[in-house]
Amino acid sequence: ASYIYIYIYIYPGWTSINRGVLICDECCSVHRSLGRHISIVKHLRHSGWPQALLQMVQTLASNGANSIWEHSLLDPAQVQSGRRKPNPQDKVHPTKSEFIRAKYQMLAFVHKLPCRDDDGVTTKDLSKQLHSSVRTGSLETCLRLLSLGAQANFFHPEKGTTPLHVAAKAGQVLQAELLVVYGADPGAPDINGRTPMDYARQAGHIELAERLVECQYELTDRLAFYLCGRRPDHKNGHYIIPQMADSLDLSELAKAAKKKLQALNNRLFEELAMDVYDEVDRRENDAVWLTTQNHSTLVTERSAVPFLPVNPEYSATRNQGRQKLARFNAREFATLIIDILSDAKRRQQGKGLSSPTGETLGGKNRQINDDQHDYDSVASDEDTDSELTTQNNNNTQRSNHLSDGPITLQEYLEVKKALASSEAKVQQLMKVNNNLSEELRRLQKEVGATKGERRVAQEYIEFTYTDTYCRIEQQCQCGNLCDNLCVLCFPPQVSKPEKHGSGTDSDYDNTQTYDLSLSEEEGRGESEEGGVGEAGEPDPTLPCTEDVILKTEQVTKNIQELLRAAQEFKHDSFVPCSEKIHSAVTEMASLFPKRPALDAVHCSLRLLASSASRLQVECRKAAPTEPGAPAVDYQLLTQQVIQCAYDIAKAAKQLVTITTREKKQ
């Protein structure tokens, strides 16, 4: 069997699979609190291991994978600046925990690529290097590329394959394991419809082909093994559906809950399955943790992980549902797993799923909508046990639809169902935006649509819309109702409308300059091309609204990461954050035609691209300076960075608004 249990008594006893490092018990508690989207933790001796996966981790650890995450700390200049790695005798909290978060969550010490004169090394460049490197056995090279942003699912436009196709053809088992950990899809087709499994079989690598099949069904295999200790052999079938002793005597409540699960669309069902997978991983690691510890000072409220940590890539509603899974007792959780396995088999064999398992081990490529919600704030992964107890009690009192006893499957499905209700708020937002757009047109017509006056009207509408947008979301530290760390929490220095004619305005005040990108001819041609001057026919060249929203969400999340770094004075994180933002902006802009018919789209795209480029320039100023160079004014630099981020968010929001309005016409 490819799955074995390893009994090697070594210290440390844990490993972070996606980081390729070995960790001790103290650091393990911090890694687990980061969440599986940051660090996938597994015990070396007491956890079930696929042999190839274990060999991949051991190879990375023995070949210096840790130096990838601590690259800048090896620079002697960093020692002079006071930055150092914690000593073993340092306290876990806050010294070691802060270092671990900076190292693996913020990637503060990874190698910063030298930038060219144009746009620097792009994600596409890194992904092409990864596509070539996986045919060799150099695991650390590929891990370094992945740490810099290379995409494991990159589809090479000229060769028509992904890196996993190349690794499978070359028989690189360990490279395939690394790619799957970073989200590579084992069932992804090449340009001719062949999967990596097909490549492995045709090249004679039968064991690798069988392992890729296991990776494809990792989610359902893991759920089945959790309940009954067995996995399917994938030769006689891909699913094992355990049965409970009294499964024939289902209550009406359980039957109704099962019907609701079957009624979920594929996307929501896959999200639910992935959340249950993560909860299984949390519970298994909890069991190993309690077994291996001697209940000394290590077993404290700060080392416990009582529920799934918050994943900022997911909506607040989904994070709440994930945390509530910890309240399921053993019977309720087993019932949920059985229903998921049964429905996964039904969907795969009947209607079919885009991916039979929803997601491979460690995959993080699926984009999730950040739906708005009506629920309480999500608990932090650093809350103490007493704080969590108080918060859970308050949450129970405030939630009318939740029972006082253990949460049931039906209640969890009701939380999932609440995702659909958020669509009403989105529609309300779009309706408000349409009204504001009509007001903008009316103002432009009244003032003669001169450039300066159009700019005043546009600013008025944009800031009114921003306020409306914020006030239908959750409470934020700025006093408004915003989603997480909004750009309004760091207000940029925006000039007043009456200063538009001044020549002393900041170069970064795009709220007053973006509309001037139109030439006189373009301004006069707005009404002829169906621009903002009058409502014309829908533009068929505009992308799908849902695609634009997904890309906007990715841009927003990257901006939030940058703003967190600014708030915490982590200026060394500015450059990697700006690279992520620039990459997300490029992907969003690629959805639109190069020469859009609507002038409003043209203006917004120009603002988006120019702001992202300026952001990169500003963030590079935060890089360590050479001896003798003038000191950097970080306060001014932070203001300029925030202004650029504000302009990017504003332009992205404009594109969503325009696309939604045009598609509705």
Side-chain angles (χ1 to χ4, degrees):
S2 60
Y3 288 86
I4 60 175
Y5 282 87
I6 304 299
Y7 294 96
I8 306 175
Y9 290 90
I10 61 173
Y11 184 86
W14 297 84
T15 180
S16 175
I17 296 176
N18 57 325
R19 304 303 182 182
V21 297
L22 305 180
I23 51 181
C24 63
D25 289 341
E26 285 187 339
C27 295
C28 169
S29 64
V30 182
H31 276 259
R32 289 191 62 206
S33 70
L34 297 178
R36 294 186 73 256
H37 57 287
I38 302 296
S39 183
I40 304 174
V41 177
K42 205 175 186 69
H43 198 274
L44 285 170
R45 294 181 286 114
H46 294 279
S47 299
W49 280 93
Q51 186 174 8
L53 181 62
L54 177 64
Q55 186 179 353
M56 184 271 291
V57 172
Q58 291 176 331
T59 302
L60 285 175
S62 61
N63 284 277
N66 192 53
S67 62
I68 295 175
W69 314 108
E70 296 182 356
H71 177 85
S72 64
L73 293 180
L74 303 178
D75 186 356
Q78 299 296 334
V79 178
Q80 299 177 0
S81 66
R83 299 174 63 180
R84 67 174 182 85
K85 186 175 181 178
N87 296 318
Q89 62 270 20
D90 288 334
K91 294 183 178 180
V92 178
H93 301 283
T95 306
K96 290 182 179 179
S97 63
E98 289 181 353
F99 175 79
I100 291 173
R101 290 180 183 276
K103 177 179 176 181
Y104 295 112
Q105 187 172 17
M106 300 301 297
L107 303 181
F109 313 122
V110 298
H111 176 59
K112 307 297 190 300
L113 290 175
C115 296
R116 302 195 300 257
D117 294 335
D118 48 10
D119 293 333
V121 179
T122 64
T123 301
K124 185 176 181 180
D125 295 332
L126 294 170
S127 300
K128 284 187 175 181
Q129 293 181 39
L130 177 68
H131 191 278
S132 300
S133 300
V134 293
R135 62 169 50 91
T136 71
S138 181
L139 278 180
E140 58 274 17
T141 298
C142 294
L143 180 61
R144 190 180 302 276
L145 291 170
L146 290 166
S147 72
L148 294 172
Q151 299 299 308
N153 270 322
F154 172 74
F155 188 85
H156 201 292
E158 289 84 18
K159 300 182 180 180
T161 56
T162 68
L164 192 55
H165 286 95
V166 177
K169 184 177 181 180
Q172 293 292 340
V173 179
L174 304 188
Q175 294 283 22
E177 291 287 345
L178 179 62
L179 290 171
V180 170
V181 165
Y182 272 84
D185 183 4
D190 68 355
I191 194 171
N192 297 316
R194 295 184 299 168
T195 66
M197 293 170 282
D198 296 330
Y199 274 69
R201 290 192 183 97
Q202 291 172 5
H205 309 301
I206 306 302
E207 291 186 2
L208 175 56
E210 293 176 350
R211 173 59 186 149
L212 289 174
V213 174
E214 293 176 351
C215 291
Q216 187 175 14
Y217 290 90
E218 163 65 20
L219 189 149
T220 51
D221 285 3
R222 180 78 174 271
L223 297 186
F225 187 82
Y226 176 76
L227 289 185
C228 63
R230 294 186 298 117
R231 292 183 174 88
D233 58 10
H234 297 290
K235 296 178 181 178
N236 300 314
H238 297 301
Y239 297 94
I240 293 179
I241 313 296
Q243 297 294 326
M244 298 181 68
D246 55 352
S247 59
L248 297 178
D249 186 23
L250 291 178
S251 64
E252 292 301 322
L253 184 64
K255 292 179 180 178
K258 188 172 183 178
K259 289 182 179 179
K260 287 186 177 181
L261 184 143
Q262 293 174 349
L264 294 176
N265 61 41
N266 282 351
R267 181 179 67 85
L268 291 179
F269 177 78
E270 289 174 350
E271 289 181 9
L272 175 59
M274 289 187 287
D275 296 344
V276 171
Y277 178 96
D278 289 347
E279 176 64 14
V280 165
D281 182 79
R282 186 195 70 83
R283 294 191 182 204
E284 288 184 338
N285 279 335
D286 265 353
V288 172
W289 176 264
L290 294 175
T291 301
T292 57
Q293 300 307 309
N294 58 4
H295 299 280
S296 61
T297 55
L298 284 180
V299 185
T300 65
E301 62 183 20
R302 296 303 297 273
S303 63
V305 183
F307 49 75
L308 290 174
V310 174
N311 185 342
E313 294 293 322
Y314 298 158
S315 67
T317 302
R318 185 177 180 187
N319 274 312
Q320 286 182 330
R322 286 163 57 86
Q323 291 178 352
K324 288 183 172 68
L325 284 172
R327 297 171 57 188
F328 279 50
N329 59 35
R331 176 180 174 77
E332 292 167 343
F333 194 54
T335 303
L336 176 58
I337 290 177
I338 292 173
D339 287 345
I340 288 176
L341 288 172
S342 301
D343 212 52
K345 181 179 181 180
R346 178 185 69 83
R347 292 171 186 246
Q348 196 271 340
Q349 294 180 349
K351 297 179 180 179
L353 287 173
S354 58
S355 172
T357 61
E359 186 181 27
T360 56
L361 174 64
K364 297 190 290 184
N365 295 330
R366 181 169 285 101
Q367 298 295 329
I368 307 300
N369 288 331
D370 277 342
D371 297 327
Q372 297 140 7
H373 58 90
D374 294 321
Y375 300 93
D376 44 62
S377 59
V378 179
S380 169
D381 53 0
E382 295 190 358
D383 288 338
T384 62
D385 287 346
S386 60
E387 291 171 338
L388 290 174
T389 302
T390 302
Q391 184 178 16
N392 286 336
N393 290 338
N394 293 336
N395 293 347
T396 303
Q397 295 172 2
R398 286 197 299 266
S399 301
N400 296 327
H401 64 287
L402 294 180
S403 62
D404 294 332
I407 189 168
T408 65
L409 174 60
Q410 183 184 18
E411 290 172 338
Y412 180 73
L413 291 177
E414 287 177 355
V415 174
K416 283 293 180 182
K417 186 178 179 181
L419 286 172
S421 66
S422 64
E423 292 296 329
K425 290 195 173 183
V426 174
Q427 295 300 325
Q428 178 186 3
L429 173 61
M430 296 307 175
K431 183 178 180 180
V432 171
N433 178 60
N434 288 337
N435 294 336
L436 293 175
S437 298
E438 293 297 331
E439 179 69 11
L440 172 60
R441 295 189 184 99
R442 186 185 65 80
L443 289 174
Q444 290 174 340
K445 186 176 181 180
E446 290 180 356
V447 299
T450 61
K451 286 187 177 180
E453 291 165 332
R454 281 214 319 269
R455 187 167 58 244
V456 175
Q458 184 72 16
E459 284 187 352
Y460 166 76
I461 295 301
E462 290 299 329
F463 282 107
T464 305
Y465 175 74
T466 301
D467 183 69
T468 304
Y469 177 81
C470 289
R471 292 188 181 281
I472 66 170
E473 303 210 4
Q474 67 188 48
Q475 185 69 32
C476 188
Q477 67 181 42
C478 63
N480 288 330
L481 298 172
C482 344
D483 179 19
N484 246 342
L485 280 174
C486 67
V487 292
L488 297 180
C489 293
F490 300 88
Q493 303 298 321
V494 181
S495 302
K496 301 297 183 181
E498 58 267 23
K499 292 184 180 180
H500 288 159
S502 172
T504 61
D505 293 333
S506 170
D507 291 337
Y508 297 95
D509 185 10
N510 263 301
T511 57
Q512 65 177 8
T513 60
Y514 74 93
D515 200 35
L516 293 178
S517 61
L518 287 174
S519 65
E520 293 291 344
E521 290 76 10
E522 290 173 327
R524 287 194 296 266
E526 283 181 355
S527 59
E528 298 176 2
E529 298 183 9
V532 295
E534 63 181 54
E537 294 296 326
D539 186 354
T541 64
L542 289 179
C544 174
T545 303
E546 183 178 356
D547 293 340
V548 178
I549 291 176
L550 287 176
K551 295 299 182 183
T552 302
E553 288 169 353
Q554 188 59 47
V555 171
T556 302
K557 287 172 183 145
N558 292 332
I559 289 177
Q560 289 172 351
E561 182 180 350
L562 174 65
L563 296 181
R564 288 190 187 95
Q567 184 185 35
E568 298 171 3
F569 305 102
K570 297 179 179 178
H571 302 107
D572 52 356
S573 300
F574 278 10
V575 172
C577 287
S578 68
E579 295 295 337
K580 291 181 181 179
I581 293 173
H582 190 274
S583 176
V585 165
T586 303
E587 292 180 5
M588 182 176 182
S590 66
L591 297 176
F592 294 85
K594 293 184 178 180
R595 295 183 179 179
L598 295 178
D599 291 324
V601 175
H602 176 70
C603 294
S604 298
L605 288 173
R606 289 189 60 178
L607 174 60
L608 190 70
S610 61
S611 300
S613 298
R614 288 203 315 277
L615 178 64
Q616 284 188 304
V617 173
E618 292 298 329
C619 288
R620 288 168 188 164
K621 296 178 182 177
T625 57
E626 298 180 356
V632 179
D633 186 348
Y634 285 107
Q635 182 176 2
L636 176 60
L637 175 61
T638 301
Q639 290 180 356
Q640 303 287 32
V641 167
I642 291 171
Q643 175 65 61
C644 293
Y646 180 87
D647 292 338
I648 293 172
K650 185 174 181 179
K653 181 183 64 180
Q654 290 171 2
L655 290 173
V656 172
T657 304
I658 296 169
T659 306
T660 304
R661 182 180 65 242
E662 291 297 323
K663 291 298 181 181
K664 283 186 176 182
Q665 287 182 357

